[in-house]
Amino acid sequence: MGQTPHQVQSTQPIPKPKEPNSYRPISLISCTEKTAERMVLNRLLWKTGPLHHRLYAYEEGIGTQECLADVMATINNKKAIVVFLDLEKGYELASAAAILAALADKAVKGNLLAWAKGYMQDRQARVTFQGATSEFLNLEN
């Protein structure tokens, strides 16, 4: 069975700046795939509406500073307990079935839902390190 462009990726370990013997895996995808992902993301956002206003990730120009500014403005010099969650590997460990169900609940259907399903299944990856490239391995999630 041939692979479609969105099902195969290559991972390149990049040394961490302050820890040269420790590596951060960087996933490399083609310009075509990156363009397709951007198109589908824009369509999904149009269909589902904006992300929750208290989510401080996945949106260009929104990050830690905006989060802290909102928290400080909300508590307004009062005592407060604040919890910050950074779900490491949140996307990688998310259930494809749960993501698809959530999209369907937001009225995503037809080709867009089928594309999302196809994007999340039968994915493969390989690693390139010091000039050697591994065989493709199937990804669980």
Side-chain angles (χ1 to χ4, degrees):
M1 181 170 102
Q3 294 296 318
T4 58
H6 70 271
Q7 293 176 307
V8 176
Q9 67 186 45
S10 183
T11 301
Q12 177 73 45
I14 306 294
K16 292 182 178 180
K18 295 180 183 177
E19 303 171 50
N21 292 327
S22 184
Y23 295 88
R24 174 179 290 120
I26 303 296
S27 179
L28 305 173
I29 59 175
S30 71
C31 293
T32 303
E33 182 178 1
K34 212 165 180 62
T35 301
E37 286 180 358
R38 177 68 60 177
M39 290 168 52
V40 171
L41 175 61
N42 288 337
R43 178 71 173 162
L44 279 171
L45 289 173
W46 175 82
K47 185 71 175 166
T48 63
L51 298 172
H52 191 277
H53 67 283
R54 295 287 188 222
L55 184 64
Y56 295 93
Y58 312 112
E59 196 169 330
E60 194 171 328
I62 303 296
T64 306
Q65 290 177 320
E66 287 75 20
C67 177
L68 292 174
D70 283 354
V71 167
M72 297 305 290
T74 301
I75 62 176
N76 196 19
N77 293 323
K78 298 176 189 147
K79 289 184 179 183
I81 296 174
V82 179
V83 177
F84 295 95
L85 294 177
D86 182 3
L87 304 175
E88 184 176 348
K89 305 277 185 206
Y91 177 78
E92 291 89 342
L93 299 176
S95 161
I99 293 170
L100 293 170
L103 289 173
D105 286 346
K106 290 186 168 274
V108 175
K109 57 186 174 187
N111 290 337
L112 189 55
L113 190 60
W115 192 94
K117 180 179 180 183
Y119 184 84
M120 291 186 283
Q121 67 186 13
D122 300 327
R123 293 191 62 96
Q124 295 182 323
R126 65 182 175 185
V127 176
T128 301
F129 184 67
Q130 295 181 341
T133 302
S134 72
E135 295 294 320
F136 281 106
L137 296 173
N138 294 326
L139 301 175
E140 290 181 29
N141 291 344

